[in-house]
């Protein structure tokens, strides 16, 4: 029974819901959940709570402490690599910003004390500082607390002056639409509680404490100073990068047997995949294919092939994966096998050379036809002089000889 009571106390102190049934079973379930959380966290990808909600750790890059840590990591790396001058320059520039940050922290501490003590004249001096000028919601809440204290003390004239000169410009930052109207109504009341929206006002001291708690993230920056004093582990930046790369490799789609050599950090790791299946199969020739060339745009949207069946075929090179692609057009005109094909960059002109001693130029359009034919004096042409260049096709000269004209 003593052990069971101890378990109950542990749950209460941890602010956990009271376990139903056997406390030992509840404790074991909690330990199991904690282990699963720790296991998932070790992979860095996030954890699953008991409710199934995905909980991910986030790096708040705007946090002042995170920014200071990043600077320290860079300085350490520069020092380790022998860039002493660069490290010193960066430290000097960072020190200037740290001094500015220290001055802001001092102003924040002064504001906190001024609110707690009700020293509104000191608070009025501090609101002109840069650290507070952009905090419109905070300024509205600050002036509201001061206004409520003036109403509570029945200093209506001062309250009216504060409302018109200070609070009016921050009216849009009120937490709800009707609050500013109720503040104006309080000028005619004898007590703060006379307004429906402020009946729960707890008084001067509690109001000041609530104001400090409400803006704790703004007014509590002392913890950032302790972070600067923390020792920096050696080669910390490289270790963090190694962890990031290891995570990318572990979560890649394919896992190579040999650990990959990472040659760049400028892009995420992607495993190299050797093609193990044809993207598409082009079916149409009745005999063996002798030559292939890309045509069309610079990346090759068309495919031109020549075959021993004496034909030239044009295909859609961007056919869908796994398709059996049929030819878009079949060019007939040669009387022997086609040994080589070439095309202009835009695919408008296609050249083919054949064992019949001829080179054919084809104008590719909606209706295909032989633009011109020239015969060679020799019996066959093994390699076409045409290359994948738009101007080269039209400039090629073909030797004269008895031919088809």
């Amino acid at each position: 029974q003593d052990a069971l009571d101890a378990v109950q106390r542990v749950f209460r102190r941890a602010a956990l819901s009271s376990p139903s049934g056997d406390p030992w079973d509840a404790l074991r379930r909690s330990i199991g959940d904690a282990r699963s959380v720790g296991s998932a966290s070790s992979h860095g990808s996030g954890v699953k709570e008991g409710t199934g909600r995905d909980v991910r750790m986030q790096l708040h890059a705007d946090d002042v402490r995170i920014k200071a840590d990043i600077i320290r990591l860079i300085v350490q790396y520069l020092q380790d690599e022998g860039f002493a001058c660069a490290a010193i320059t960066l430290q000097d520039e960072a020190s200037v910003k740290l001094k500015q940050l220290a001055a802001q922290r001092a102003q924040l501490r002064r504001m906190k004390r001024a609110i707690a003590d009700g020293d509104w004249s000191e608070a009025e001096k501090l609101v002109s500082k840069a650290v507070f000028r952009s905090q419109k919601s905070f300024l509205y809440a600050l002036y509201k607390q001061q206004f409520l204290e003036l109403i509570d003390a029945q200093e209506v004239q001062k309250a009216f002056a504060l409302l018109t000169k200070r609070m009016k410009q921050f009216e849009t930052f009120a937490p709800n639409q009707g609050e500013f109207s109720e503040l104006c109504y309080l000028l005619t009341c004898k007590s703060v509680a006379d307004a429906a929206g402020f009946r729960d006002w707890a008084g001067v001291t509690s109001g000041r404490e609530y104001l400090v708690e409400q803006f704790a993230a703004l007014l509590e920056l002392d913890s950032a100073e302790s972070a600067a004093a923390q020792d920096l582990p050696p080669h910390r930046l490289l270790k963090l990068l190694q962890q990031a790369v290891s995570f990318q490799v572990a979560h890649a789609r394919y896992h190579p047997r040999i650990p990959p050599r990472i040659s760049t950090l400028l892009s995420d790791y992607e495993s190299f995949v050797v093609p193990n299946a044809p993207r598409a199969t082009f079916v149409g020739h009745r005999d063996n294919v002798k030559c292939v060339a890309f045509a069309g745009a610079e990346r090759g949207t068309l495919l031109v092939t020549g075959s021993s069946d004496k034909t030239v075929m044009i295909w859609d090179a961007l056919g869908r994966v796994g398709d059996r692609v049929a030819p878009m057009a079949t060019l007939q005109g040669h009387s022997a096998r086609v040994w080589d094909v070439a095309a202009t960059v835009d695919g408008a002109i296609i050249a083919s050379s054949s064992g019949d001693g001829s080179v054919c130029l084809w104008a590719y359009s909606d209706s295909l036809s032989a633009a011109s034919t020239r015969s060679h004096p020799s019996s066959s042409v093994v390699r076409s002089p045409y290359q994948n260049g738009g101007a080269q096709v039209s400039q090629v000269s073909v030797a004269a000889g008895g031919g088809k004209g």
Side-chain angles (χ1 to χ4, degrees):
Q1 184 62 40
D2 292 340
L4 295 179
D5 293 340
V7 172
Q8 294 281 5
R9 287 196 297 270
V10 169
F11 274 91
R12 285 195 296 270
R13 290 176 182 175
L16 298 175
S17 59
S18 178
S20 58
D22 186 2
W24 286 113
D25 292 338
L27 183 59
R28 279 192 290 268
R29 288 196 301 271
S30 298
I31 294 175
D33 293 342
R35 286 178 178 174
S36 63
V37 168
S39 175
S41 298
S42 64
H43 296 291
S45 60
V47 298
K48 292 283 186 180
E49 285 185 341
T51 59
R53 184 169 58 90
D54 190 11
V55 181
R56 296 186 179 274
M57 302 301 292
Q58 294 183 355
L59 177 67
H60 299 285
D62 294 334
D63 192 320
V64 176
R65 291 164 292 187
I66 297 297
K67 290 183 177 179
D69 289 345
I70 293 175
I71 295 297
R72 293 185 65 194
L73 291 174
I74 297 174
V75 170
Q76 183 193 56
Y77 178 79
L78 292 174
Q79 292 173 343
D80 291 342
E81 295 297 317
F83 298 99
C85 294
I88 293 174
T89 302
L90 181 58
Q91 280 182 319
D92 291 342
E93 187 173 355
S95 297
V96 174
K97 292 187 176 181
L98 288 175
K99 290 180 180 178
Q100 296 175 351
L101 184 60
Q104 291 180 355
R105 291 197 192 100
Q107 294 169 0
L108 292 170
R109 286 193 291 267
R110 288 171 57 190
M111 177 62 77
K112 183 179 178 181
R113 287 195 299 268
I115 294 174
D117 298 338
D119 190 352
W120 303 117
S121 59
E122 175 69 10
E124 184 64 27
K125 296 177 182 177
L126 292 172
V127 295
S128 61
K129 304 296 183 182
V131 67
F132 296 108
R133 282 200 298 265
S134 60
Q135 305 295 330
K136 307 297 185 182
S137 298
F138 170 75
L139 294 178
Y140 174 84
L142 179 72
Y143 289 133
K144 183 178 73 173
Q145 175 63 27
Q146 185 179 356
F147 177 83
L148 293 176
E149 292 187 15
L150 291 173
I151 294 295
D152 186 66
Q154 289 297 300
E155 298 185 35
V156 179
Q157 294 296 333
K158 293 183 179 180
F160 175 76
L162 179 66
L163 187 71
T164 55
K165 295 181 179 179
R166 295 286 186 269
M167 295 190 65
K168 179 61 179 177
Q169 57 183 319
F170 303 113
E171 179 181 357
T172 56
F173 295 93
N176 55 73
Q177 187 174 5
E179 183 177 277
F180 191 81
S181 298
E182 291 194 349
L183 291 175
C184 297
Y185 172 70
L186 282 176
L187 293 172
T188 63
C189 301
K190 296 182 179 180
S191 173
V192 175
D194 292 343
F198 296 98
R199 288 175 182 172
D200 297 332
W201 189 59
V204 174
T205 303
S206 298
R208 295 173 183 175
E209 293 175 354
Y210 176 74
L211 179 60
V212 173
E213 293 176 359
Q214 186 179 3
F215 295 92
L218 174 65
L219 300 176
E220 295 286 350
L221 291 181
D222 296 341
S223 57
E225 296 177 350
S226 60
Q230 183 178 355
D231 293 335
L232 186 61
H235 311 297
R236 180 60 178 167
L237 179 58
L238 291 178
K239 289 182 178 179
L240 290 175
L241 293 175
Q242 182 62 48
Q243 292 174 8
V245 172
S246 299
F247 174 82
Q248 292 179 4
V249 173
H251 289 76
R253 182 177 180 182
Y254 300 100
H255 301 279
R257 295 180 179 178
I258 301 176
R261 181 179 179 84
I262 305 300
S263 57
T264 180
L265 295 174
L266 302 182
S267 59
D268 292 343
Y269 168 79
E270 292 183 358
S271 57
F272 175 75
V273 181
V274 178
N276 57 4
R279 186 182 188 278
T281 303
F282 299 87
V283 180
H285 283 295
R286 299 184 304 275
D287 210 335
N288 52 13
V289 178
K290 292 297 185 182
C291 49
V292 179
F294 282 101
E298 293 183 359
R299 298 184 62 183
T301 58
L302 299 177
L303 196 66
V304 183
T305 60
S307 171
S308 294
D309 62 7
K310 308 174 187 178
T311 64
V312 175
M313 292 187 178
I314 301 176
W315 316 78
D316 180 9
L318 303 180
R320 291 178 298 179
V321 176
D323 283 354
R324 291 176 63 87
V325 182
M328 299 172 60
T330 301
L331 311 181
Q332 297 178 344
H334 289 292
S335 59
R337 67 185 58 183
V338 179
W339 283 103
D340 199 12
V341 291
T344 56
V345 175
D346 58 4
I349 301 295
I350 296 173
S352 60
S353 62
S354 170
D356 60 9
S358 67
V359 173
C360 290
L361 298 181
W362 310 87
Y364 176 69
S365 60
D366 293 338
S367 58
L368 294 166
S369 62
S372 61
T373 304
R374 297 288 185 271
S375 62
H376 285 270
S378 58
S379 60
S380 66
V381 178
V382 178
R383 177 62 59 181
S384 170
Y386 299 101
Q387 304 294 329
N388 288 347
Q392 293 175 326
V393 171
S394 61
Q395 294 174 356
V396 169
S397 61
V398 181
K404 300 177 182 178

